[in-house]
Amino acid sequence: MSSVLIIDDEPTICWTFEQALSDAGHEVQSFPSAESAFDELDHLDPDVVLIDVRLPGMSGLDALQRLR
């Protein structure tokens, strides 16, 4: 089972990914912004990150650099 982190400000996108990935047996956490994900990142160790490029606040590209 993989741990997947989803960062997207569209609730329906998050819900769709959550349902599909959970049904496939993955552990899924989703957040509406990069900042909110970073607040919890100390408690998470995702195997995969799905991130939107356009987010409120920090952009997905900037967040990706920080996630590395």
Side-chain angles (χ1 to χ4, degrees), residues 42-56:
D42 290 339
H43 310 295
L44 304 172
D45 187 23
D47 298 306
V48 175
V49 177
L50 301 174
I51 188 167
D52 190 4
V53 174
R54 287 186 252 191
L55 294 166

Side-chain angles (χ1 to χ4, degrees), residues 32-67:
S33 69
E35 291 85 357
S36 63
F38 287 131
D39 289 343
E40 296 296 321
L41 206 53
D42 290 339
H43 310 295
L44 304 172
D45 187 23
D47 298 306
V48 175
V49 177
L50 301 174
I51 188 167
D52 190 4
V53 174
R54 287 186 252 191
L55 294 166
M58 182 185 297
S59 77
L61 295 176
D62 290 337
L64 191 57
Q65 291 296 321
R66 185 170 166 192
L67 282 168

Side-chain angles (χ1 to χ4, degrees), residues 2 4 6 13-15 17-18 20 24-26 29 31 33-34 36 42-43 50-51 53 55 57 62 65:
S2 298
V4 181
I6 301 168
I13 300 240
C14 289
W15 182 85
F17 277 124
E18 287 170 5
H26 302 286
Q29 293 281 333
F31 297 92
S33 69
S36 63
D42 290 339
H43 310 295
L50 301 174
I51 188 167
V53 174
L55 294 166
D62 290 337
Q65 291 296 321

